[in-house]
Amino acid sequence: MKLFCKEEMQRLEGMAERSGVSLSALMENAGRALAEETENRCRPAAGNHAVLLCGKGNNGGDGFVCARHLSEHGMDCTILLIQGQPESSLAKSAFFAMPEEVMVLNLQSRREEAAAALERADVILDCVFGFSFRGEFSGDGLDFLDLANRRDCLKISADLPSGAVCDTGRIAAGAFRADVTVTFTGKKPANCSYPAKEYCGETVVRQVGISPVLLEAAETKFFETDDDFVKSCLKELDPQSNKGTLGRLLLVCGSYGMAGACVMAARAALRCGVGLLHIAVDKSIYPMLAGAVPEAVFTVLDWENHGREAEERLNDAMEKATACLVGCGLGDGAKRLCPPIFSRCTVPLIADADALNFAAGQPGILEEVEAPLILTPHPGEMARLCGDSIPEIQADRLGAAREKARETGAVVALKGAATVIASPDGRCAVNPTGNPGMAKGGAGDVLAGMIASFAAQGIPPFEAAVSGVYLHGLAGDLCAKKLGMRSMLPTDIIEALPEALRR
């Protein structure tokens, strides 16, 4: 599903106007859609006093149209002019078209009355900024957003909650917290990406008059992953397939005390269809892995007694692979193994966990990797890679992933709620599947194995990462339904993969 950034929405509105749909018609349709959604959700128990917080631009104009429709249908409406009188010509026209029954309170002169209106509101509609907001709040009257947030009643935002930045999902302090966001034409990145997604509540898309032909032709690089995208990436198997044609994946994972990470990555990779699985491991954990993953072949590395031979065996294994995964449970072994892999690997390389921690201590090393590269950091690993704090990463997940992709030339899958997958060419996917029950040690190893399996089978890096993340979350959702979020385990996700793939 396409996600429309601010610039693309402005371009679409301009194209719609040139095709014969006036901007005033778009505003009329948006205000009517907002009123219809409000009426549907207010019947019968929510009462009939609506307070609309309106800004000075076109989002405020949507609110004025909404108030007119609500009033005509018998709802008691009060407009609070948060930024003073409307300034855009469209908003002014909508303002003067409201019936006399709609009470209008300018905060500059009637703050006490405005506060009292909020106190008796049955529903509060936020029509201050919409997708135009950027930066931080300023100006008189915006403290009323805080007053609105503290009211225990239904809250609805027009297009986006005021304080949400459309293209990044960043949230300004004091942003409006909606129960429902009625977004026009199509979802925006902030409707799908945290932290803004939390402030949107339930997002409802309403069409307001822009032609489906224009929407289909829109060249946005943002999208929310869906079944159709994943199906387009995972083609039906050729009837003449054999283990050699379904990819050769090399895992360089696991260490003494963390062998389980390698096992989970390996079993997830096998469940996702890779033909040959080759695991390069230190001799100390080979006995544990041999029985746990009988489908794999092993290259046993004896660094202590035969270091030169171990490096040659590792090189031979890389030369035979169609993709390589390094890092899951690697521990201190990353210091020995990552340099030769980063410098010599020529096939798609998936770097996870301890490989990312190693890279964080070697500035510039990822930029030197010549192989197609996929990075799968959680927020802590991303913070170390970027030299930022976790709160800084989480405040702008889309921006962090896209910047690291541009910087390194890698596909970056920033894990977490609504995982973000960014490509160096600017494409960016936001994942809708998954649940809090997946927040357990080992779930990331499962995901890394899945992505690596798809890459080994010849799926391009971005598509492999997007598909892996979506199916990982879908399998997690199946586990949550069957076992409950608290009880499910990462190994349960692996066992749910066959059903997720069948769907």
Side-chain angles (χ1 to χ4, degrees):
M1 178 189 295
K2 291 179 179 180
L3 302 178
F4 298 100
C5 63
K6 176 182 175 181
E7 181 179 341
E8 184 66 17
M9 283 306 307
Q10 292 171 333
R11 191 178 76 86
L12 283 170
E13 289 176 352
M15 292 177 67
E17 186 176 25
R18 289 190 292 275
S19 70
V21 181
S22 68
L23 294 180
S24 61
L26 294 179
M27 179 175 286
E28 177 66 26
N29 293 337
R32 182 188 299 112
L34 186 60
E36 290 172 352
E37 198 67 36
T38 301
E39 290 178 315
N40 289 339
R41 293 180 183 265
C42 285
R43 295 190 182 118
N48 66 353
H49 182 211
V51 174
L52 297 93
L53 311 178
C54 293
K56 61 186 178 182
N58 288 345
N59 198 243
D62 297 337
F64 303 145
V65 174
C66 175
R68 189 183 84 238
H69 284 284
L70 291 177
S71 179
E72 289 172 351
H73 292 169
M75 187 171 280
D76 177 24
C77 294
T78 300
I79 296 285
L80 305 188
L81 297 177
I82 296 294
Q83 299 174 304
Q85 294 293 323
E87 292 185 358
S88 77
S89 58
L90 287 174
K92 287 179 180 178
S93 296
F95 180 78
F96 290 114
M98 288 190 299
E100 293 181 0
E101 290 79 10
V102 176
M103 178 177 289
V104 178
L105 299 176
N106 193 323
L107 299 192
Q108 294 176 351
S109 58
R110 304 175 72 177
R111 296 181 69 87
E112 292 185 4
E113 291 176 77
L118 276 179
E119 284 298 318
R120 65 177 187 272
D122 297 303
V123 56
I124 299 173
L125 291 99
D126 158 38
C127 306
V128 183
F129 288 110
F131 68 73
S132 65
F133 180 82
R134 62 180 182 179
E136 302 296 333
F137 284 136
S138 62
D140 186 44
L142 293 175
D143 55 333
F144 272 73
L145 290 175
D146 181 57
L147 288 175
N149 281 336
R150 286 188 267 142
R151 285 283 293 117
D152 183 17
C153 66
L154 177 65
K155 302 182 187 74
I156 301 176
S157 281
D159 218 14
L160 280 175
S162 292
V165 181
C166 178
D167 295 359
T168 69
R170 181 182 287 275
I171 284 290
F176 188 84
R177 281 185 174 271
D179 300 303
V180 181
T181 295
V182 182
T183 197
F184 308 126
T185 302
K187 286 185 178 181
K188 318 305 185 291
N191 290 124
C192 303
S193 183
Y194 287 96
K197 183 178 180 179
E198 180 181 350
Y199 285 71
C200 291
E202 177 190 354
T203 293
V204 177
V205 179
R206 295 292 298 263
Q207 296 304 318
V208 296
I210 294 178
S211 164
V213 175
L214 293 179
L215 298 182
E216 182 65 27
E219 297 179 354
T220 178
K221 291 190 173 184
F222 293 88
F223 67 94
E224 185 177 46
T225 315
D226 56 20
D227 286 346
D228 290 339
F229 181 89
V230 177
K231 288 176 183 176
S232 73
C233 298
L234 306 184
K235 306 295 185 183
E236 291 291 330
L237 296 181
D238 189 318
Q240 300 185 73
S241 298
N242 60 62
K243 63 185 180 183
T245 62
L246 292 178
R248 298 167 179 259
L249 175 61
L250 173 64
L251 261 62
V252 187
C253 299
S255 60
Y256 193 80
M258 291 188 287
C262 183
V263 173
M264 287 184 282
R267 299 215 61 79
L270 289 164
R271 283 293 189 195
C272 287
V274 71
L276 287 167
L277 181 64
H278 190 171
I279 305 178
V281 294
D282 188 88
K283 67 174 185 175
S284 64
I285 63 168
Y286 168 67
M288 291 177 270
L289 294 178
V293 194
E295 299 89 345
V297 296
F298 290 86
T299 291
V300 181
L301 306 174
D302 184 356
W303 293 102
E304 185 176 350
N305 299 311
H306 303 284
R308 183 180 295 275
E309 180 184 344
E311 187 164 339
E312 291 174 355
R313 288 167 67 84
L314 178 62
N315 289 338
D316 289 342
M318 279 194 287
E319 290 177 1
K320 297 173 184 176
T322 57
C324 177
L325 167 60
V326 59
C328 304
L330 205 54
D332 289 339
K335 298 175 184 176
R336 183 194 301 271
L337 289 159
C338 285
I341 291 173
F342 283 174
S343 62
R344 297 173 191 168
C345 185
T346 59
V347 295
L349 176 61
I350 296 83
D352 184 54
D354 291 313
L356 298 173
N357 292 330
F358 171 80
Q362 306 288 325
I365 194 170
L366 294 176
E367 289 86 332
E368 298 173 2
V369 174
E370 295 184 3
L373 186 59
I374 302 174
L375 309 179
T376 57
H378 59 53
E381 291 160 347
M382 190 68 161
R384 289 189 283 275
L385 285 172
C386 297
D388 292 327
S389 68
I390 294 176
E392 287 174 320
I393 295 298
Q394 293 292 76
D396 186 359
R397 289 171 52 80
L398 280 166
R402 296 179 75 204
E403 178 58 31
K404 184 55 64 175
R406 283 193 294 265
E407 178 185 307
T408 61
V411 170
V412 177
L414 176 55
K415 296 181 290 193
T419 291
V420 174
I421 307 96
S423 174
D425 64 9
R427 288 178 295 166
C428 194
V430 182
N431 186 61
T433 61
N435 61 81
M438 302 173 71
K440 293 183 173 75
D445 303 312
V446 174
L447 174 61
M450 294 174 65
I451 294 173
S453 180
F454 293 142
Q457 293 171 62
I459 297 175
F462 180 71
E463 287 76 7
V466 173
S467 299
V469 168
Y470 184 85
L471 289 166
H472 181 251
L474 178 57
D477 289 339
L478 293 171
C479 290
K481 185 176 181 180
K482 179 180 179 180
L483 303 170
M485 285 189 281
R486 289 190 185 277
S487 299
M488 59 185 284
L489 300 174
T491 47
D492 296 322
I493 298 173
I494 300 172
E495 297 310 309
L497 285 175
E499 184 176 354
L501 284 160
R502 281 197 300 270
R503 292 190 176 192

